[in-house]
Amino acid sequence: MEIIIASSPAETATIAADFVCRVLARQERPVLGLATGGTPFLTYRELISRYERGEVSFHTARAFLLDDYVDLDTDHPERFREVISRDFTSHVDFPEGVVYSLDGSRSRPEEVAAAYEEAIVAAGGIDLQLLGLGRNGHIGFNEPSSSFASRTRLILLAETTRRDNARFFDYDLESVPRLAMTQGIGTILDARHLVLIANGRAKAAPVAATIEGPLTAMVPASALQLHPRVTVLLDKAAASGLQHTDYYQQAHAATA
Ligand code: GLP
């Protein structure tokens, strides 16, 4: 893993945006994997600024969301399809209809999941997948006990996840959905480059378990250890539980 300890969340966003811009510049038809949650917000803001300055364009790109809630009204503001549009995609020049999301309102989750997997393959696979990290070590909505070989599917949200996300629902736990659709860990591992961003002390323990802990289904993000190209972008607080920070910093300086 390439582990980069940045001076601030803003710097993690700048570095993540650099990776996205590089993919956009290099690939003829770039495919981005987009995450929601609070963490990538700064990265999206940075990308919007670069787009507004004419430094980057998304007109040849397509994007796939990682996950979404099930059983929220179609136009609910916390549907991730709405969130990504509000926070990012509607502010830049993605063509119409190329930002794919998991439709959590349909009654047949297996069909939705299979169609999503097929759409990713048909797009040529995901070039760069942005990831946040749950406090319980989840990626996407792959909760602890998710198989490392899991594919896109319906999942029951963990109580910790629902509590963490209650802030987006006026702190009313009852209105946080219980079910979600998520790309599986196997699906995520198929992307060509994974960029995990984590900021803040609350992420220190899951970050340490992800990077330095054993491979275990109880820390879904530990599956990233199996991927050949992973970049982990951390602010100092999120890196504070790591044992080998000196080595990571030297390794990054020596190989950057
Ligand atoms: C959410 C999302 C994840 C996200 C994680 C962390 O529930 N499903 O994709 O990475 O939890 O969220 P945050 O960035 O707000 O800490």
Side-chain angles (χ1 to χ4, degrees):
M1 287 185 183
E2 177 184 34
I3 297 153
I4 302 177
I5 302 168
S7 55
S8 64
E11 196 190 353
T12 63
T14 306
I15 301 168
D18 288 345
F19 281 119
V20 172
C21 291
R22 232 169 285 162
V23 168
L24 292 171
R26 281 186 193 157
Q27 303 288 338
E28 211 171 303
R29 299 210 62 198
V31 182
L32 302 175
L34 302 178
T36 47
T39 307
F41 183 75
L42 289 175
T43 302
Y44 297 143
R45 221 164 58 184
E46 173 66 21
L47 287 168
I48 293 166
S49 301
R50 292 184 194 193
Y51 167 73
E52 287 170 348
R53 293 198 298 266
E55 295 168 10
V56 65
S57 169
F58 297 82
H59 75 286
T60 59
R62 283 159 293 171
F64 288 86
L65 260 66
L66 260 184
D67 48 17
D68 209 336
Y69 294 115
V70 167
D71 288 342
L72 278 184
D73 292 344
T74 351
D75 55 352
H76 193 288
E78 290 309 322
R79 283 282 294 265
F80 290 168
R81 188 177 61 194
E82 300 295 319
V83 172
I84 203 71
S85 167
R86 192 168 65 230
D87 287 355
F88 179 39
T89 55
S90 69
H91 302 279
V92 297
D93 61 344
F94 279 101
E96 197 66 35
V98 302
V99 179
Y100 297 85
S101 61
L102 277 157
D103 184 347
S105 66
R106 291 193 211 162
S107 53
R108 297 191 187 88
E110 296 87 359
E111 284 172 26
V112 172
Y116 207 64
E117 292 272 343
E118 276 167 30
I120 293 173
V121 171
I126 291 173
D127 292 304
L128 183 150
Q129 177 66 61
L130 290 173
L131 294 168
L133 181 65
R135 274 196 310 137
N136 63 1
H138 75 212
I139 45 174
F141 271 137
N142 291 283
E143 300 290 22
S145 81
S146 292
S147 163
F148 286 1
S150 54
R151 309 302 305 185
T152 303
R153 68 201 186 289
L154 183 70
I155 192 154
L156 179 70
L157 295 177
E159 190 65 17
T160 48
T161 300
R162 292 186 61 242
R163 284 188 190 285
D164 285 347
N165 288 0
R167 69 189 195 278
F168 298 114
F169 293 84
D170 294 328
Y171 294 91
D172 174 22
L173 187 58
E174 275 312 298
S175 53
V176 183
R178 289 182 159 73
L179 292 171
M181 295 285 293
T182 185
Q183 284 188 34
I185 296 178
T187 319
I188 292 169
L189 292 179
D190 283 346
R192 286 182 269 281
H193 183 193
L194 304 178
V195 177
L196 175 82
I197 312 170
N199 295 312
R201 194 160 290 274
K203 300 293 172 72
V207 162
T210 297
I211 297 172
E212 296 178 344
L215 282 171
T216 167
M218 295 318 286
V219 181
S222 66
L224 269 48
Q225 296 175 23
L226 297 170
H227 193 283
R229 186 153 187 235
V230 178
T231 303
V232 183
L233 300 173
L234 307 170
D235 73 346
K236 289 202 171 72
S240 63
L242 292 168
Q243 303 287 320
H244 303 285
T245 45
D246 286 351
Y247 175 76
Y248 306 140
Q249 278 165 326
Q250 287 162 16
H252 178 60
T255 56

